[in-house]
Amino acid sequence: MLVNKKISIGAAIALIIVFMALTVSVTMVVAMRRFNNNLGDVNQRQAMFDYINEIDKLIRQNYVGDISEEELRTALANGYLSGIGDPYAEYLTAEEYQKETERLSGSRTGLGLEIAEQEDGSVVITAVHSGSAADRAGVEKGDVITALDGKAAGYAEILSRLEDGTRVLFTVSRGEESNAFELSPSTYTYTSVEGWTIGTTGYVRIYAFYSNTPAQFSAVMDSLQEKGAQNYVFDLRYNEGGVLTAAQEVISMLLPRGTYATRIESDATKTELVSEGTYDLEKSSVTLVNGETAGEAELFAGVLQEFKKTTVVGVATKGRGKIQEYYSVPSDGSAIKLSTASLSLLEGGEIEGKGITPDQVVALSAQEESRFPFLTDEDDPQLKAALSTLQGGTVTTETEPTAPTDGTTASPTTTEPTTAETAA
C-alpha cells in the first residue's frame, strides 16, 4: 500500500510538471506570435512613414509654390482617415471639434435660422430656433431673403455669409412687406424635441438625440399626458441620431426593464443595452421614418417596433448602425471621429447596411420632399397615414403646441434641416 501511494504521488508530481511545461510552451508560442505581429505592424508603420517622408522631400525640393503647413497637416489627417475604409471617419480641426462638442450637448452658436433654395431659385427661411438671434430679432419661418447687404445675392453667397460667424444684414419679403435684419451670432439652446396635440393624438417631433434630448422628451411627454393624449406619433424623419446615451435614456422611458439591443465592439465583445424601466409606454403609437432617419434614431424605431410598442410608417431608413466616438489630438486640440462599435437589434440583427423596414410604406413625392418643412397634418401623406392608423381612419387637424423644457414656446412649424436645408 505504501508503494502504491508513493507511485501515485510521483505520478501526480510528474503530471504537474508536464502541465506546467505545456503552459509555459503555449504561453511562449502566443507571446512570440504577438511579438511577431506587433513587429510586423511596427515595420508596416515605419514603411508608411518612410514613404510619406520620401514624398515630402520630393515636394519640398521641387515644388515652385508656397506650402501652408497647417493646410498640409489637415490634408494629411483627412487623407489618412479616408484610407482606412471607415465611411464615417472624419477629421475635425480644433474649431470644428469645439463646435461639434457644443452641438452634441444641445447648444449652438450662430444666427439660429435655416434656409433652403426653392425650385424658382428663391431662398426661403425654413426654421427659426427659439432663443436665437434670429428669433429675438423677429425673423419668421417662410420669410424669403431678397438681398444681402443691400444687394441681390444667390443661395451660395447667402449661405456663405450666414455661416461665416460675423454680423450680417439681409432683407426679407413677408407677404407684401419688406423687412431688414442685422444679426450677430449668439449661443442658444437647441430644442431637439417639440410636441403638440392633433385631436387626441400627442405628436412628438424628435429632431436629434443630443445630451439635452432626454429632459426635453420627458417634459413634452408629461405635458401631452396632462393634455389627455390617447396615443402618440413619434416623428423621426430627418433625425440623423447623435448621442447614444441620450437615445438610451429616451428608450428607457418607453420600455419595461430589460435588454432591448446589443452593442458590438470592434473586438466582437458584446454589451447589452438595458432599459431601466422608468416608464412603460402602454398607449399605441406610430413612428414616422424616412431615408434620412439614421443611427440612434434607427435604434429607437427598431426597438419600439420589435417590442410591439409602435407601428413604423414611412420608407426604409438609412442603415447607419455603427457607433462613432471622438478622440482628441493633444498637440493641437483637433480630433478624429472613428467607428468603434455597431448596434444590433435583438431580432433584426445589425442595423448597418439594412436599416429599419416600415410596417406601412408611405412615400412622399419629390415636390412634397422639397416642401417638407412647410407640410402640415392636412397635406403630409405620411403624417396623415399615421393619424389614420391611430384614429381608425379619422384625421383631425386641430393643433395645440406644447412648450419645450427651456421655457420657450414651441411651434409646430419649427423643423430640423432636411437634405435641401442648411442651418446657420
Side-chain angles (χ1 to χ4, degrees), residues 346-366:
L346 296 183
E347 298 177 10
E350 292 194 34
I351 296 172
E352 180 68 23
K354 293 169 54 180
I356 306 301
T357 301
D359 299 298
Q360 184 179 352
V361 177
V362 180
L364 299 182
S365 67

Side-chain angles (χ1 to χ4, degrees), residues 369-400:
E369 288 282 4
S370 68
R371 295 184 53 253
F372 182 80
F374 302 100
L375 295 179
T376 69
D377 50 312
E378 295 180 323
D379 57 12
D380 182 341
Q382 292 171 331
L383 179 54
K384 289 172 67 176
L387 295 172
S388 179
T389 298
L390 291 171
Q391 301 172 6
T394 302
V395 180
T396 56
T397 58
E398 179 183 358
T399 62
E400 182 179 354

Side-chain angles (χ1 to χ4, degrees), residues 240-289:
E240 297 184 346
V243 180
L244 178 58
T245 53
Q248 290 178 257
E249 287 185 53
V250 172
I251 291 171
S252 286
M253 298 179 196
L254 304 174
L255 293 184
R257 185 181 300 274
T259 301
Y260 58 81
T262 304
R263 171 181 173 139
I264 305 174
E265 307 297 334
S266 57
D267 62 358
T269 301
K270 296 183 178 181
T271 303
E272 293 182 343
L273 302 186
V274 181
S275 170
E276 299 300 325
T278 54
Y279 176 76
D280 185 8
L281 181 64
E282 296 180 345
K283 297 178 180 179
S284 58
S285 76
V286 170
T287 298
L288 295 177
V289 299

